[in-house]
Amino acid sequence: MGRDGLLVPVESSTQIQVSLKKKTAVSRSWISLDHNGESSILDADKYTIMRRVQINARDLRILDPLLSYPSTILGREKVIVLNLEHIKAIITADEVLLRDPFDDNVVPIIEELRRRLPLGNAVYQGQGEEEEHPGVQHDVESSEENEFPFEFRALEVALEAICSFLDARTRELENEVYPALDELTSKISSRNLDRVRKLKSAMTRLTNRVQKVRDELEQLLDDDDDMEDLYLSRKLAGASSPVSVSDAPNWFLSSPVIGSKISRISRGSAATSQGETDVEELEMLLEAYFMQIDGTMNKLTTLREYIDDTEDYINIQLDNHRNQLIQVVILAGVACASIFLSIISYARHKGLVGS
């Protein structure tokens, strides 16, 4: 009835209820992806999700699309809670739950997770750069021993997606702002000023979004305990059975984005004692995406400086025009006063007015 556009007063309350049900249906939609990349759609309320992944209501509330929470990467005993813009996910040691799977921005992430969650695909893509060089084939052959944990493969997809998304929005903004500023400097008009004002507001909003993601990554990098909380597989293995140092798995980074260079670095440091707190692999992963989001932040900072410089130039131009206008007004006033005094003097001379 709402689709037909029929607005009947008697049915207005029904339409509101239908709208609320649609919103509820969207918020209940989840997709589950396992370590093989296989997925299934879930229509579950928050209590079902809480029981499924053993998460409390406070942490699940962070992922509510109807509430506004800052970007968050939260490590708990058995899950990672991920709230990065449109990416709202719960990551366990063997499963990823992603909210709103039919959202246009989420669909590409699901496809990427399907492609990269299977360990064989992740290892193959991470070693693509090394396949051309002899002497490194043993790294691929030993992938079963040196596997990158499931939760980090999922986390990397999410970080790559959000960093790429925000960088793309920044490039789009740059493509609009620079021509608008150039046009404004060539012709100062109310239309151009209003256009730049709107673009500046959009840039401020985007800067705040990028800053939140950057701050969250920086906070994680500054706290080893927070990073250690993200090692779900390590905690699960430690809880199931004690592992000696010699039998501990050597996890390494096999990222198709970061590439084999970091993989080689992490494998070189994998010989360190696993009995100690070792978050080097995760730290390199977070550091790589921190550098990427920091680069996006630098672009926005440069853009803001360009806008500020243009505003200063416009203000100088306007001040110059204002000063010229004031000079014209003063000259006109002096000329008018001179003419008036001349007329009065002439009239007195002729006796047309009294002294």
Side-chain angles (χ1 to χ4, degrees):
M1 198 172 302
R3 297 191 179 197
D4 297 332
L6 300 177
L7 301 177
V8 183
V10 178
E11 299 177 353
S12 59
S13 60
T14 304
Q15 291 175 349
I16 293 175
Q17 292 177 359
V18 170
S19 177
L20 291 175
K21 286 181 179 179
K22 287 182 178 179
K23 290 182 179 180
T24 305
V26 171
S27 64
R28 287 168 55 97
S29 298
W30 296 77
I31 186 170
S32 170
L33 298 103
D34 61 17
H35 62 280
N36 293 321
E38 297 179 357
S39 61
S40 59
I41 300 295
L42 304 177
D43 184 20
D45 58 19
K46 62 179 182 180
Y47 300 106
T48 304
I49 297 298
M50 288 167 58
R51 289 192 299 268
R52 183 185 181 100
V53 298
Q54 301 182 27
I55 188 176
N56 59 50
R58 181 179 63 253
D59 293 337
L60 187 59
R61 195 179 302 120
I62 297 174
L63 305 181
D64 193 331
L66 301 180
L67 301 177
S68 178
Y69 279 91
S71 296
T72 304
I73 303 175
L74 192 62
R76 288 295 184 248
E77 182 62 28
K78 296 183 179 180
V79 300
I80 298 173
V81 182
L82 206 62
N83 179 33
L84 299 173
E85 297 276 326
H86 53 275
I87 305 175
K88 302 180 183 298
I90 301 174
I91 303 174
T92 70
D94 56 7
E95 180 186 34
V96 178
L97 292 177
L98 198 61
R99 188 187 279 274
D100 296 336
F102 302 110
D103 185 275
D104 292 339
N105 292 322
V106 177
V107 171
I109 301 172
I110 296 174
E111 295 301 321
E112 193 67 11
L113 285 170
R114 286 172 177 161
R115 186 173 66 88
R116 286 165 53 178
L117 283 182
L119 182 61
N121 291 346
V123 173
Y124 176 79
Q125 293 162 3
Q127 301 299 327
E129 194 176 290
E130 298 180 355
E131 287 179 351
E132 299 177 359
H133 305 282
V136 295
Q137 295 300 326
H138 62 279
D139 292 331
V140 181
E141 294 172 358
S142 61
S143 61
E144 293 184 359
E145 296 180 4
N146 300 330
E147 65 180 40
F148 196 41
F150 171 86
E151 62 269 21
F152 292 166
R153 301 201 299 274
L155 178 61
E156 182 184 14
V157 171
L159 290 176
E160 178 187 343
I162 193 60
C163 290
S164 299
F165 175 81
L166 293 174
D167 189 64
R169 301 291 81 76
T170 300
R171 290 197 303 269
E172 291 175 0
L173 189 62
E174 285 178 326
N175 293 335
E176 294 185 52
V177 168
Y178 287 118
L181 292 176
D182 293 339
E183 184 176 353
L184 179 60
T185 54
S186 62
K187 181 181 179 181
I188 302 175
S189 65
S190 57
R191 174 181 172 274
N192 290 337
L193 286 171
D194 185 63
R195 181 186 176 191
V196 171
R197 179 186 62 81
K198 292 178 179 178
L199 289 173
K200 185 176 181 180
S201 299
M203 184 201 65
T204 301
R205 292 192 296 270
L206 181 58
T207 301
N208 291 335
R209 294 162 62 187
V210 173
Q211 184 69 52
K212 289 176 182 178
V213 177
R214 182 188 180 279
D215 290 346
E216 183 62 22
L217 290 177
E218 185 176 27
Q219 182 179 346
L220 272 175
L221 287 167
D222 290 340
D223 195 324
D224 287 353
D225 292 335
D226 287 345
M227 286 191 287
E228 188 179 5
D229 287 339
L230 302 183
Y231 279 81
L232 303 181
S233 298
R234 179 186 293 177
K235 289 188 289 185
L236 185 62
S240 60
S241 61
V243 181
S244 64
V245 175
S246 59
D247 295 333
N250 294 324
W251 289 326
F252 71 91
L253 186 61
S254 55
S255 164
V257 175
I258 304 175
S260 60
K261 181 168 68 175
I262 293 182
S263 286
R264 289 192 292 270
I265 295 174
S266 66
R267 284 196 297 277
S269 63
T272 59
S273 172
Q274 295 293 333
E276 302 176 355
T277 300
D278 182 11
V279 294
E280 186 175 357
E281 290 81 9
L282 177 59
E283 185 176 5
M284 286 189 294
L285 173 65
L286 296 176
E287 182 71 26
Y289 289 104
F290 175 79
M291 292 173 62
Q292 184 175 345
I293 199 70
D294 190 58
T296 302
M297 192 68 193
N298 290 336
K299 291 181 183 179
L300 291 169
T301 301
T302 303
L303 190 60
R304 174 174 289 278
E305 291 175 353
Y306 192 81
I307 292 177
D308 292 340
D309 291 343
T310 303
E311 288 180 339
D312 292 340
Y313 173 78
I314 296 301
N315 289 331
I316 292 174
Q317 291 290 96
L318 292 176
D319 289 341
N320 185 42
H321 292 320
R322 189 181 301 113
N323 292 334
Q324 291 179 355
L325 182 60
I326 291 174
Q327 291 176 3
V328 172
V329 171
I330 292 175
L331 290 175
V334 171
C336 290
S338 300
I339 293 173
F340 177 76
L341 293 175
S342 299
I343 293 174
I344 294 298
S345 177
Y346 177 78
R348 285 178 178 176
H349 179 71
K350 294 294 184 180
L352 298 177
V353 294
S355 60

